[in-house]
Amino acid sequence: MQETYKDTLLGDTNRLVIELTKSRAFRKKLPEVLKTISAHLKTEQSYLLEVRPVKGMLDQLVYKKIIEVSAAGEKKEHIVHELFSEVIFSQRVLKSWLTDLASLSKTKLSIGQSSENNNLPSLIFADHYEEAALDKLNNNQICRKIFNSLGVSISSFLIVPLVYEQAILGFFATHSSNVIVHTEHQLEMVVSLMQLTANLYACEYVEDQRVLHENYLLKTSEKRYRKFIRHSAEGIYFMNCGKPIPVDAEVDAQVESYYANAYVEECNLAMTKMYGFEKESDLIGKRIEVIHQGENYEQNRLSFKRLAENNYQIKGQETKELDKYGNWKYFINEAFGIVEDNHLLGIWGIQRDITEKYQNERGDALLEAVLHAIPDIKIRINVEGEILALYGSEQKQDKDGLTFQDNIITGKHLTEVLPVFVAKGLLFNARKSLEEKTLQAFEFLDADSSDGNVRYYEARINNINAEELIIILRNVTQLKIAEQALTEQISQVDQKNRQLQKYIESNLQLENFAFVASHDLREPVRTMRTFGQFLKKRVGHKLDEESMIHLDFIINSASRMNQLIEDLLTYSRVNTESVTRDPIELGPLLEEITDSLKATIEETGAKIIFKNLPSVILGNRLKIQQVFQNLLANGIKFHRKNESPKIIISVKETKTHWRFMVADNGIGIEEEFHEQIFVIFKKLHNYQEYQGTGIGLTLVKSIVNQHGGEIWLESKVGKGTTFYFTLLK
C-alpha cells in the first residue's frame, strides 16, 4: 500500500503530538517541532517567540526568549534584549496589531480566521509582493530590533500566534527569500501544533494543572485537530486502561489487567472503518479483549507485553485481528503509554491497515515461487514490448536453444533479444490479449541453434493488467518429436487395423462357409457313403479285386469328408458361441477325459501324471474339456514307437492367470512348424500314419484365446513336446 504525502504529514503531526503530550519536559521537544515544520514548508529557519504573563496574569505580557531552528535541525536560543524584555504590554494592543497585519495580507487562507478566539487570526501569511504587510512588520520597533538581533531580512513570512483562551502566549514564525510554498494540510499541521504548544505553555502559567488533559481536546485545538485526523488513512486511538495499572507490577499481571479492563475511549473514522464500522461511536467503548479475539488472540496479547517491556513505547508492532464481518485484518501499530504516578492510564496509538499490502506480498511471493518453479522462460513486458523482468536467475531451455539472463535482457526491447518474426508475433498476440482479455498462444521454430538442429517453441501471452503482460516460452521440441513418432505409430496401427479388419471379414466368411458347408454338404456326402456301402454289400462279391479297392476308396473318402464337415461345424460353433465363466472343478473334469480315453491309454500303455493342479478354475466347461482332451489325445497319438507315452500336466499361478503345461515324451515337432500346427486342417503327417483332420490344435488355440489366454509350445524332435497355455483366473 503506497504511502501518500498526506499520510506522511499526518504521521509526523501525530508523532509530534504524542512526543509533546507525553514528555514532562515538553520544551526539549520544541526544536524537533520547528525542524519538522521547516522541512515540510521548505524554509531555512523557523522561530518560536515566547512571551510570559506577568505574575500569572494572562492579560499583561513580557517577552521572554526566542528559539531558532534550521531545517537541518540546528538549534539556537536567543535571550530577548534587556531594553524590551522588561516592557509590559497588553493583550489588547498585541491583538490589534496582529489583526491590522492580517488585514494587509492579500493572501486568502481558508483557515485564516478563528471564531473561537474573537476573530483573532489563526495565522498570517504574506508573500514578497505584499509590500504593505511587509512594511508594517519591518516598521514595528520591537520586530525591527529582533530582526537585527537575529540577522535576518524578511521578504515573505508566515506567523502563527500561540493562543490559549484568547490569551496570546507566543508566536511561531518562519520566513524565506522566495515564495513559501504551502498547502492547506501543511498549514493545518502548523496551526494544530502551535495550539498544542500554547496549551502546554498555559500549564506553566495557570494554577489549574489539569488544563492539558481537560482543555487540549476540548478547547481551541479540539475541532481543528479532530477535523485534521478524522479523514486520515491512518487509525488514531486512545485505549483507556479502565483501571490504572502499576508499572512496577509483573509484566504478565499488567497484561491480565489490561485485557480485563481496557477499552477504546477515542478513535478516528479511519480506525473505525478498519474494523468494518461506519462511525466512531460503533467502536468507542468496545473492550480490547473483544477486539483482539480469535485464533491470533495470544499473539495480540504479546503486543501489549512488548509495549510494557519497552518502557511503554513501541513501533512497527503487527497484529492480526477480526473485523465485524469475521474477516482477518493485518495492522501495524506505533503506540506509547500515558504514565502518571507510576501507573499506566492509557495508550495513544497510530494504526495502519496493511491487509492489502500483506496479501499482495503473500500473493507476490507465491507467484514468484511458482514462476521460479516452472522450467519455462518467463518474461514480463510492458505494452511497448520493453522487457521488465525475467523470472529465474538464469533461464535455459536446453544446451543450444534460447538462453536469457536477467541482468542482460532487462530494459531491452523484444526485437533485440529474439528473432524479429518471433518478436512481432509476440507483440501482435500481446495486443490481442489486451484487447480481448484472453490468453493467446502460438508456436514457432528456431532454426538458428548452435548445433544446427531445429527447435520448436510454444509461446503463451496473457495480460497482467492494462500496462503489463507475461510471456511464457516453452521448448516443445521433444513433444513435437513424440507427436511425429505417435503419428507414425498411429499410421502403423491403422494399417494393421485394416489388415485385421480384412482378416476378421475373411474369418467371418470362413465361419459362414463352415456353417453352410457343414449343413449343405453333409447330406450329399452321407448319400455317397451310404450308396457305396450298399453297392459293396449287394454286388461286392461280383467285383474283381481292383474294383473293390476303388469302392473301398470311395467309402473311406466319404467317411473322411463327413469327419471334416463335422470338425468344420465344431470349429464354427466354437468361434460363434459366447463364452461363460463358470466355476469348473478341474479334478472331476480330467478324470472324465481320461475315462473317455481309457481304451487308447490301455492300448498304448500311456501314463498320465497331474501335478499341483488348482481345484477350481473359471471358464466354459465344455470348451475347457476340449482343450485338455485334444492335448492329451495328441500326446498319446504322437508317441515314439517302442516307448509308452508319458504325459505330465502341471500348473503355475501368476497374478492374473493360471499357466498350464502339458508335456509329453513323443516324437516332437520341428521348430519351423511351431506356428503352422495351429492353422485349421494343417497336418504334418499323412492320414495313413496318423489319422485326424488337423483341426484339434486350431480349436485349442481359439478356446484359449476366448478365455483371455494364449498358447505356445517348446519341442525337440525325438525328445517330446511341451504345450503351454494360460487361462484368466
Side-chain angles (χ1 to χ4, degrees), residues 577-594:
E577 291 177 353
S578 60
V579 176
T580 59
R581 284 172 50 81
D582 301 317
I584 303 171
E585 293 184 1
L586 193 55
L589 177 67
L590 293 174
E591 185 178 347
E592 184 178 326
I593 294 172
T594 54

Side-chain angles (χ1 to χ4, degrees), residues 251-299:
V251 173
D252 289 340
Q254 294 185 49
V255 174
E256 292 299 329
S257 177
Y258 181 75
Y259 275 88
N261 302 291
Y263 62 92
V264 181
E265 182 175 309
E266 292 286 344
C267 68
N268 67 345
L269 185 62
M271 181 77 172
T272 302
K273 290 186 176 296
M274 288 179 186
Y275 293 92
F277 298 107
E278 295 298 323
K279 52 186 183 297
E280 292 94 326
S281 58
D282 293 334
L283 186 60
I284 291 174
K286 288 193 176 297
R287 293 179 57 205
I288 307 305
E289 185 175 35
V290 174
I291 295 175
H292 284 183
Q293 66 182 334
E295 64 182 39
N296 220 49
Y297 176 72
E298 292 300 328
Q299 190 67 28

Side-chain angles (χ1 to χ4, degrees), residues 173-189:
T174 187
H175 72 93
S176 175
S177 56
N178 299 312
V179 177
I180 299 176
V181 180
H182 62 275
T183 66
E184 182 176 338
H185 294 302
Q186 289 172 332
L187 298 181
E188 287 278 7
M189 170 192 184

